[in-house]
Amino acid sequence: MDKIRIVGGNPLNGVIPISGAKNAALPLMISSLLCDDTLTLENVPRLRDVALLTQILSNHGLDYSVDGKRAGQDTMTGQTIHLNASNIVDTTAPYELVSKMRASFWVIGPLLARMHNARVSLPGGCAIGTRPVDFFIDGLKALGAEIDMDRGYVKAEAKGGLKGGRVVFPKVSVGATHTVMMAATLAKGESVIENAAREPEVTDLANCLIGMGAKIEGAGTDTIHIQGVDRLGAHRHPVIPDRIETGTYAMAVAMTGGEVTLEGARGDLLESALDILRQTGTEITETNMGLKIRRNGAGINPVDISTEPFPGFPTDLQAQFMALMTRSKGVSKITENIFENRFMHVQELARLGAKITMDGQVASIEGVETLRGAQVMATDLRASVSLVIAGLAAEGETTVSRVYHLDRGFERLEDKLSRCGAVIERISA
Ligand code: EPZ
């Protein structure tokens, strides 16, 4: 298995292009199942999760193609993919595929809406928590679906099609909002989703669905109204820039010092995280190119954070922020409110010399003068990248194993960082 080797201590200086958002691209790709015409997505990142989802959607009968390189395009530009699900041949999403990626469970919404039935494997637990699917089931039932659980599969049926309904989520869920919103676009009559997720990826999906002909109002607020239509049609849509990749590199610069422009980044997608970074002593400026991140000289101020649904501080940046706080000039507290088991990076950061104590969902981090390179590994994507950030600021050599986690969500990580002066390379096993 590949490893990443880092020799820490260099500041980062230069330009890092920000890729299309993984967590926007995945539901956008799934939405292609709603229509019998071609959905073209631009700025799709080259990631393992994207490749895996293409494979999963192909199993339902989706045809896809990827545009080749165009004149003047460099290898850092996202890809354009064409997805056509005119011929859905299978409404079952099997365990072997769904268990590899939780988001593939979301196909249940479009399949049910368009084909009036779906049989989708339960995704099971994962490294960051139990992650049940009760909100999806209750939401689809509110749209008239009959749902049975059968040997690890959710069997959903809507004879004669889904009907508009009122869905009130007990807690904010990104995936359940995506799924019910997609399903409601083809239901008869009006649906309302209350306590909807307000994440930019939900708004991006809604904008794409509107381009395909859906009638949706209120995406980006906690109440979404959807008026069902008979069919959706062809559309071309660019994926929004990745706010988690943006925040990750901003934290890397805050940690190592230096000055980096995050090309194509949009500050409005992560204001709460940028506010917190400013409080740590990092300068952030919006420019025509994106966001300029700079920290020179002074130490890192400790800042307390709590993860919250958007527009709060994202759970997907919690591990990276913890890495930054390990070098702060005092004590900071991090409270994880979204997932119950998202602290696997704590013991690995400790291997680098971090001082962290846990009390339930709250981590207290006492900043240290120096981190020292070590061998580390992590069991999820964001935890893995937090170790890379810490390694960039640590003295000596760090190796991060289980790199396949990073490949799920960070496009050309080592390339982007080494162009800014980091000593980082992939060691192929
Ligand atoms: C999405 O996951 C993201 N994944 C996650 O990013 C992100 O951490 C998460 O939203 C929160 O922002 C994608 O977009 C592909 P949720 P999702 O449903 O939709 C509970 C990454 O690293 N819940 O918003 O699966 C759930 O257990 C990933 O890129 C129920 O109880 O998350 C959690 O506590 C990891 N019942 C909370 O809601 C349900 O039926 C929020 O989860 C559904 C969710």
Side-chain angles (χ1 to χ4, degrees), residues 395-415:
E395 271 180 5
E397 190 174 308
T398 296
T399 45
V400 184
S401 36
R402 299 205 181 164
V403 167
Y404 56 89
H405 288 298
L406 291 168
D407 293 336
R408 291 188 48 202
F410 287 93
E411 189 175 13
R412 308 168 69 102
L413 175 89
E414 61 278 22
D415 202 16

Side-chain angles (χ1 to χ4, degrees), residues 22-23 26 102-103 106 128 130-136 171-176 178 199 243 315-316 338-340 342 380-382:
K22 167 181 86 82
N23 288 349
L26 299 179
R102 181 179 163 87
W106 305 347
I128 60 177
T130 48
R131 302 178 87 186
V133 293
D134 47 338
F135 304 165
F136 296 75
K171 181 175 170 186
V172 172
S173 162
V174 175
H178 282 320
E199 268 65 5
R243 65 193 167 101
T315 174
D316 289 347
I338 309 293
F339 293 110
E340 76 270 26
R342 208 173 198 183
D380 87 271
L381 167 62
R382 312 302 176 186

Side-chain angles (χ1 to χ4, degrees), residues 78-128:
Q79 44 187 354
T80 297
I81 58 176
H82 308 275
L83 308 156
N84 184 296
S86 55
N87 190 23
I88 293 184
V89 294
D90 195 343
T91 54
T92 295
Y95 174 75
E96 301 73 59
L97 296 176
V98 180
S99 58
K100 289 186 186 159
M101 183 176 35
R102 181 179 163 87
S104 59
F105 181 79
W106 305 347
V107 298
I108 194 168
L111 288 176
L112 187 56
R114 184 152 155 230
M115 307 302 289
H116 304 175
N117 70 78
R119 188 170 162 269
V120 181
S121 168
L122 283 167
C126 74
I128 60 177

Side-chain angles (χ1 to χ4, degrees), residues 162-176:
L162 290 171
K163 297 183 183 64
R166 178 167 171 261
V167 176
V168 185
F169 288 125
K171 181 175 170 186
V172 172
S173 162
V174 175

Side-chain angles (χ1 to χ4, degrees), residues 142-321:
L143 302 188
E146 281 179 23
I147 298 192
D148 286 321
M149 309 300 274
D150 179 26
R151 286 169 291 173
Y153 279 77
V154 180
K155 269 173 60 183
E157 198 174 13
K159 289 198 184 93
L162 290 171
K163 297 183 183 64
R166 178 167 171 261
V167 176
V168 185
F169 288 125
K171 181 175 170 186
V172 172
S173 162
V174 175
T177 303
H178 282 320
T179 303
V180 172
M181 181 167 73
M182 285 191 277
T185 58
L186 295 182
K188 284 190 191 73
E190 177 166 319
S191 300
V192 183
I193 305 177
E194 291 175 32
N195 201 21
R198 292 183 279 166
E199 268 65 5
E201 293 76 19
V202 171
T203 312
D204 199 34
L205 175 62
N207 287 339
C208 179
L209 292 167
I210 292 167
M212 291 159 81
K215 293 194 173 146
I216 302 174
E217 281 176 12
T221 74
D222 60 6
T223 308
I224 304 178
H225 291 263
I226 304 132
Q227 189 69 46
V229 296
D230 289 340
R231 72 176 287 273
L232 299 180
H235 181 54
R236 191 176 182 100
H237 181 85
V239 179
I240 53 168
D242 196 317
R243 65 193 167 101
I244 304 303
E245 189 192 29
T246 303
T248 300
Y249 289 126
M251 287 174 197
V253 179
M255 188 138 190
T256 60
E259 182 177 310
V260 170
T261 294
L262 302 176
E263 191 183 20
R266 268 177 52 189
D268 62 310
L269 303 181
L270 72 161
E271 274 169 5
S272 62
L274 296 181
D275 280 351
I276 296 283
L277 265 182
R278 286 194 178 97
Q279 292 173 43
T280 68
T282 311
E283 283 174 42
I284 302 170
T285 329
E286 304 233 11
T287 73
N288 293 341
M289 270 180 82
L291 290 174
K292 191 161 80 181
I293 315 291
R294 181 167 178 271
R295 191 178 69 79
N296 278 337
I300 302 162
N301 302 323
V303 183
D304 296 344
I305 60 150
S306 294
T307 62
E308 306 287 347
F310 191 85
F313 191 97
T315 174
D316 289 347
L317 285 174
Q318 182 256 105
Q320 299 88 316
F321 189 71

